[in-house]
Amino acid sequence: MLDINHILVVLDSEHPEQIALDRALWLARSLEADLTLLTSTYEAYCEDHSSLDQETRTRVKQALLDKSEKWINSFLPEAENSISISTEVHWQKHLHDAVIESMRHKDFDLVIKGTQPHNLLDRIFTHTDWNLLRHCPAPVMLVKSAKPWAQNRVLASVDATSGDTGHQIINDNILSFAEHLSDHFDTDLHLANSYPLVAVAFAMVPEVTAPDDIQKYITEQHEEACTALARKYNIQPDHVHIGEGDADSVIAGIAKDIDADVVVVGTVGREGIAGVLIGNTAELLVDKVACDVIVIKPSDGVKPDAD
């Protein structure tokens, strides 16, 4: 059984549609999970440094909180009586900070949020999605459409040949999560892996000649590693996809080719300016696929079944 019992749904009042709620309601019905709907509100002039007097600050802050509470509670009639659902409104400038604050008090198994196309400025100005992917202490699902999953295909993206312990842990967490998800919903589980074009790398250093069989060796290395992972996680041989090129582009192409409903991918949360300008594969992938994306981190292991 997929061990998702408590789901946190992040609702953004600036989005015209709350597609995350549609996905969360569907998952909650299937998984018999409870939902917590979360949003935040904030105004700097309600803080202590404001020129407003204390009484006015308090009244305005409470009015803003009441308004947000009324807004988020307006979604409750959409939920069925069979689903346990609660709401939270946080006084936080950023939604991702509200999520982190909420998770200090309750263990959520999955965080769901709707997402829209991003650009470089989103990264520079600490967009909510990027911060959730990097800092949220639970798997994060970014929903691209309110449409239900229809193709019954889960695509797990791994770095099959990485010798780094962190990446190996992520690979197992990705595949464990994807396998549980696939088993629960009786869907096809696919595995995707990319590897670099060595010719491109050697072209950047023309004084070094590439060995004739280097690309063949790398290809075979990835094929062997993917075969081993597929065998471990009961993935059919014809559901293993390996491509040449940058991981985000390769995985996006595979997801489109097989018409995946969701891609499960990992991140090590690159920090600093490198994370802003280069990004992680998971972050780059979000804007390149039409389906949902679930992002797993090294700490996001799947708990063993009780039975």
Side-chain angles (χ1 to χ4, degrees):
M1 182 177 71
L2 184 61
D3 193 16
I4 296 179
N5 301 311
H6 311 295
I7 299 175
L8 182 64
V9 189
V10 183
L11 301 184
D12 190 340
S13 60
E14 295 182 2
H15 286 189
E17 297 180 347
Q18 301 302 326
I19 57 178
L21 180 58
D22 296 319
R23 184 70 74 246
L25 289 170
W26 173 70
L27 285 172
R29 285 193 295 269
S30 178
L31 300 170
E32 299 182 356
D34 60 63
L35 298 181
T36 299
L37 313 185
L38 175 147
T39 194
S40 67
T41 188
Y42 180 83
E43 285 295 345
Y45 55 70
C46 293
E47 298 296 349
D48 292 339
H49 56 71
S50 169
S51 59
L52 296 177
D53 62 84
Q54 170 99 30
E55 181 180 356
T56 301
R57 292 199 307 268
T58 301
R59 291 175 60 186
V60 172
K61 179 178 179 179
Q62 189 59 53
L64 290 171
L65 289 168
D66 291 344
K67 180 180 178 181
S68 292
E69 186 171 349
K70 182 179 179 180
W71 175 78
I72 200 168
N73 285 337
S74 69
F75 295 104
L76 293 180
E78 297 184 27
E80 299 177 2
N81 293 332
S82 60
I83 302 175
S84 174
I85 184 168
S86 60
T87 61
E88 294 183 6
V89 176
H90 292 255
W91 184 258
Q92 289 284 354
K93 184 177 182 180
H94 301 294
L95 262 174
H96 61 268
D97 289 328
V99 172
I100 301 303
E101 179 183 340
S102 179
M103 296 198 70
R104 291 193 184 104
H105 305 286
K106 184 175 180 180
D107 291 328
F108 291 99
D109 305 306
L110 181 66
V111 174
I112 303 178
K113 183 185 177 297
T115 187
Q116 297 179 336
H118 310 93
N119 54 48
L120 180 59
L121 288 179
D122 288 333
R123 296 172 185 272
I124 294 175
F125 293 110
T126 61
H127 193 280
T128 296
D129 292 358
W130 306 142
N131 280 282
L132 281 180
L133 297 189
R134 297 180 187 204
H135 305 300
C136 179
V140 176
M141 173 188 287
L142 293 180
V143 180
K144 304 297 288 289
S145 169
K147 296 179 181 178
W149 295 352
Q151 306 306 320
N152 290 330
R153 296 188 185 99
V154 176
L155 178 62
S157 168
V158 300
D159 184 358
T161 62
S162 177
D164 175 76
T165 302
H167 280 91
Q168 291 175 350
I169 293 173
I170 289 177
N171 282 344
D172 281 326
N173 290 348
I174 291 169
L175 287 163
S176 294
F177 193 99
E179 184 182 37
H180 279 62
L181 193 68
S182 180
D183 287 347
H184 182 87
F185 292 102
D186 193 23
T187 61
D188 285 338
L189 176 56
H190 292 247
L191 183 150
N193 180 78
S194 67
Y195 60 90
L197 284 169
V198 177
V200 175
F202 276 98
M204 299 176 67
V205 279
E207 63 272 15
V208 179
T209 303
D212 293 337
D213 59 349
I214 186 64
Q215 192 66 58
K216 179 182 178 182
Y217 169 76
I218 290 176
T219 301
E220 291 176 348
Q221 188 181 37
H222 281 262
E223 290 175 347
E224 291 175 4
C226 286
T227 298
L229 286 172
R231 189 180 301 116
K232 180 178 180 180
Y233 290 96
N234 303 308
I235 301 172
Q236 298 299 317
D238 61 349
H239 285 18
V240 176
H241 312 273
I242 304 173
E244 299 176 334
D246 294 333
D248 53 300
S249 297
V250 170
I251 304 308
I254 294 170
K256 181 178 180 180
D257 290 342
I258 69 170
D259 205 5
D261 295 298
V262 58
V263 175
V264 184
V265 64
T267 181
V268 292
R270 180 185 287 120
E271 301 288 349
I273 192 66
V276 172
L277 299 179
I278 300 173
N280 298 288
T281 297
E283 298 171 5
L284 297 171
L285 185 63
V286 168
D287 285 327
K288 292 190 176 183
V289 297
C291 62
D292 295 346
V293 178
I294 297 177
V295 179
I296 304 292
K297 294 172 290 300
S299 59
D300 295 336
V302 173
K303 300 174 185 176
D305 295 338
D307 55 352

